[in-house]
Amino acid sequence: MFDRFESGEQAILVHVDFPAEIDREDLSELKLLVTSAGVETLAVVTAARSTPSSRYFVGSGKAEEIADAVKLHGANIVIFNHSLSPTQERNLEKLCQCRVLDRTGLILDIFAQRARTHEGKLQVELAQLRHISTRLVRGWTHLERQKGGIGLRGPGETQLETDRRLIRGRIKNILGRLDKVQKQRQQGRRARQRAEVPTVSLVGYTNAGKSTLFNRVTESEVYAADQLFATLDPTLRKLELPDVGAVILADTVGFIRHLPHELVAAFKATLQETQDADLLLHVIDISDDRQKENVEQVEAVLEEIGADEVPQLLICNKIDKLDDGVARIDYDDQQRPIRVWLSAQSGAGLELLRQALVERLRPDMVDVSLRIPPSMGKLRGKLYALNSVTDEAVNEDGALSLHVRMSSVDWRRLCKQVADEYGDSLQGFVE
Ligand SMILES: Nc1nc2c(ncn2[C@@H]2O[C@H](COP(=O)(O)OP(=O)(O)OP(=O)(O)O)[C@@H](O)[C@H]2O)c(=O)[nH]1
């Protein structure tokens, strides 16, 4: 039911320079978004103002200039790099005789193209309906007053009123479906937590290369349609890593600078995995001049959705575009991988990424040799129950030599049990 960009749509872009405290959008970002939406830019009209005007957002003279540009270039859409009120949008459409879209409408269209999960799609449609309904409600109120209002409803109701009722019905329907999907997802997530499968979510600024990396990393994986995955969507895939086992890799929608506030909710569904992830792969386009700002923007949104506490591994992508780009892992003081330099496109550094993932996700293991006196036979049973014994030998004096390997959590728990039951420290038996 929404206007979607047809391929070959051609636009006039409008950008107004305001003092920083009023509006901070910039033109290069708009161009990126327009390209992302698959629209060709024919011309850019810029203006400088101290505040927006209520009629056309820009002044009347500038509005005429935009209308002239539409005619001259044969554009079929005008895209503003700002938020327009419904009235401004209508006035401009009348003047330019073509569709006028504001920044929120543009981003919504990109989301509609990109939302891949069922829940994400529903959230985007909800945001679109709400965006549209604010525009319809005002027009309808105005018309209804002109026609005398209440008494005229029923068979003589206006088209706008019918539209509004349809939209309200659709919103209600979507909210109901969202509720159902969210419950299902929570159950799915609980199943995942029970299975203790770590989740790794890819996040990053739009165009950083997340989808390319996602496909590259998982292309060699055999797709296992087991029960858990049968219900999941194509933005989730399973990876098998040595010493770690199965890991779920989740792709997410790209972050956008200065995300209009009313769209934040539409992100939350697609970003849900991000909040619950065990590790975030924060993908950065290392060849982008604005990488620092992009990283800050991603961090700001992560904080907004409560995912800023999730550990991160930075992926410095597109090293093929650097003169001195070499695939490598950077480690912190504790020898923990913190950055992987790679090229998702050429595949350089992908093995390093797998290695870094193993190092970051591998449980902290304890590897020890124990010498246990015959009087502590029950301890042997416990060690076997933990599936931790890798080698066993009986000594001449009847003592057992066992080599064990277990997670540090299990080791600490066992030490406590042994201290409680035998009054001895397990450390005393370590050879
Ligand atoms: N040169 C180069 N280009 C890359 C690399 N990785 C991705 N790209 C290109 O960068 C562009 C964006 O890649 P995507 O994988 O779509 O980026 P994304 O982060 O998923 O983007 P959104 O879907 O907008 O969030 C594409 O044209 C890719 O071909 C790389 O390592 N080197």
Side-chain angles (χ1 to χ4, degrees), residues 36 114 205-212 253-254 317-318 320-321 342-346:
S36 270
R114 301 289 169 91
Y205 201 75
T206 185
N207 211 46
K210 295 180 301 299
S211 305
T212 310
V253 69
N317 188 31
K318 309 198 186 180
D320 56 293
K321 289 176 115 179
L342 53 77
S343 166
Q345 198 171 65
S346 77

Side-chain angles (χ1 to χ4, degrees), residues 2-141:
F2 298 103
D3 292 340
R4 298 300 312 279
F5 289 128
E6 303 294 325
S7 55
E9 198 134 17
Q10 299 179 309
I12 303 293
L13 310 187
V14 182
H15 172 79
V16 184
D17 266 328
F18 288 111
E21 68 277 10
I22 294 191
D23 199 321
R24 302 168 300 159
E25 308 308 351
D26 68 35
L27 191 54
S28 55
E29 160 103 355
L30 178 69
K31 287 180 178 162
L32 192 72
L33 291 175
V34 168
T35 312
S36 270
V39 177
E40 187 190 347
T41 298
L42 296 179
V44 181
V45 176
T46 55
R49 287 187 71 86
S50 52
T51 54
S53 94
S54 57
R55 186 158 184 210
Y56 292 122
F57 190 84
V58 289
S60 316
K62 197 51 88 174
E64 291 288 349
E65 194 183 311
I66 296 166
D68 289 345
V70 168
K71 268 194 222 102
L72 180 70
H73 295 280
N76 49 12
I77 190 162
V78 173
I79 302 177
F80 270 68
N81 197 15
H82 312 272
S83 274
L84 297 175
S85 74
T87 314
Q88 289 162 342
E89 215 171 274
R90 264 198 308 275
N91 292 341
L92 284 159
E93 284 188 348
K94 224 182 271 170
L95 184 74
C96 299
Q97 292 294 301
C98 72
R99 272 182 68 207
V100 174
L101 198 65
D102 72 352
R103 191 180 142 88
T104 304
L106 174 68
I107 295 173
L108 272 172
D109 195 274
I110 295 170
F111 285 2
Q113 286 179 27
R114 301 289 169 91
R116 281 164 289 203
T117 62
H118 181 47
E119 190 178 349
K121 284 183 176 146
L122 288 174
Q123 287 282 16
V124 171
E125 191 176 346
L126 187 65
Q128 284 178 312
L129 287 166
R130 286 183 168 149
H131 188 61
I132 283 178
S133 70
T134 55
R135 278 143 172 80
L136 283 182
V137 168
R138 292 194 199 181
W140 169 75
T141 314

